[in-house]
Amino acid sequence: ATNGGISVRRSRAVNVRDRMGLRRSLRCSAEGQVSAGRRAFGVSAGTAMALAFGRMEAKAAKRRDSVNRPDLLPKGSKTALIDVTGMLSKSQETRILTMIADLEDTTGLKLRVLCQTYPETPGLAIKDYWDVDDDTVVLVADPELTGNLLNFNVGENIDLKVPRNYWGRVSGKFGAKTFWQKEGADSAVINAVASIDSCVRQVDLGVKGACAPGTIKPTDSAEDSRFSMLLR
């Protein structure tokens, strides 16, 4: 009876270890999936660049052919903002470019903005044009592509600094049709840029709670003169 009891206890112990091993296996598998999709933000996932150029398929978008049109790149000196559609006014472009340059000088983050309406886009040509690397965030604004105006491609180094769900929150806040159809696509882009500027600067300074959900707010209030001027 004793041997039988020991046998039963051993059997139970093995079963417990097997179940624990299975749970660990499932957990590791799930963590691997999260890691693989770590840069998935908003509708476009972390592949916003590829999606914006028609190389990927999203739930909200039909499969589209890839685009590579260097002829649509700006002539002359390189610029961090390309507006193929006239989404922004010249004064807005100037002020956004000033903010982008200052952010890069201060934090090292290279923010690049592409306003397009597929298939009128330079597409894959921007990768070499902007030298997209691990310190680059590309914001693609396209009102037709996925139903959400804003999509992001985030470099690995930025992904390690900024909370991974931040980009999806920005996209969900300012890229949603309910926002940009009411406030304007230009306002959505400006608010996104302003939010990124604030978030990354706080992260760089080590501010606790930087980029938290409550920090993503429209910047066109009267008290926020630095960013509200962008809307004029």
Side-chain angles (χ1 to χ4, degrees), residues 100-109:
I100 289 174
D102 186 47
L103 181 65
E104 186 170 345
D105 288 343
T106 305
T107 68
L109 181 142

Side-chain angles (χ1 to χ4, degrees), residues 46-229:
T47 54
M49 188 182 301
L51 172 60
F53 308 149
R55 298 180 62 203
M56 299 294 291
E57 184 175 8
K59 293 179 180 178
K62 296 179 180 178
R63 191 169 187 85
R64 301 174 186 270
D65 294 330
S66 61
V67 177
N68 189 356
R69 294 190 57 186
D71 60 293
L72 290 180
L73 292 170
K75 304 299 187 289
S77 301
K78 287 189 177 183
T79 174
L81 186 156
I82 301 174
D83 185 1
V84 182
T85 63
M87 191 178 294
L88 303 166
S89 70
K90 292 300 181 184
S91 60
Q92 287 172 337
E93 287 186 13
T94 299
R95 289 162 183 158
I96 288 175
L97 285 169
T98 299
M99 185 181 296
I100 289 174
D102 186 47
L103 181 65
E104 186 170 345
D105 288 343
T106 305
T107 68
L109 181 142
K110 300 185 338 187
L111 178 61
R112 302 293 182 260
V113 179
L114 172 62
C115 301
Q116 65 174 45
T117 302
Y118 179 89
E120 290 301 307
T121 170
L124 297 171
I126 71 162
K127 188 175 187 300
D128 291 332
Y129 176 81
W130 277 333
D131 296 321
V132 175
D133 59 18
D134 289 343
D135 293 313
T136 306
V137 173
V138 179
L139 188 167
V140 180
D142 189 323
E144 303 293 336
L145 192 63
T146 66
N148 190 301
L149 179 71
L150 306 176
N151 297 277
F152 296 94
N153 186 81
V154 182
E156 293 285 356
N157 291 340
I158 308 304
D159 191 23
L160 295 173
K161 297 178 181 179
V162 177
R164 297 178 185 123
N165 59 0
Y166 168 76
W167 310 100
R169 293 200 301 266
V170 173
S171 180
K173 176 71 175 181
F174 303 122
K177 280 188 175 181
T178 51
F179 182 89
W180 67 264
Q181 286 187 343
K182 178 182 178 182
E183 304 295 336
D186 60 337
S187 178
V189 173
I190 288 164
N191 274 282
V193 171
S195 177
I196 294 167
D197 180 270
S198 175
C199 164
V200 175
R201 287 178 186 278
Q202 289 183 60
V203 167
D204 206 51
L205 291 171
V207 176
K208 187 176 181 180
C211 312
T215 65
I216 303 174
K217 300 176 181 178
T219 58
D220 55 349
S221 61
E223 65 224 20
D224 199 343
S225 59
R226 181 187 174 197
F227 298 135
S228 63
M229 66 183 295

Side-chain angles (χ1 to χ4, degrees), residues 1-38:
T2 303
N3 290 338
I6 292 173
S7 177
V8 169
R9 285 196 297 274
R10 285 176 178 172
S11 177
R12 287 176 178 170
V14 169
N15 287 337
V16 169
R17 286 197 300 271
D18 288 346
R19 287 197 297 272
M20 290 176 66
L22 177 60
R23 284 197 294 270
R24 281 196 298 269
S25 176
L26 290 173
R27 185 168 62 249
C28 289
S29 175
E31 288 173 353
Q33 291 177 11
V34 171
S35 178
R38 180 167 292 169

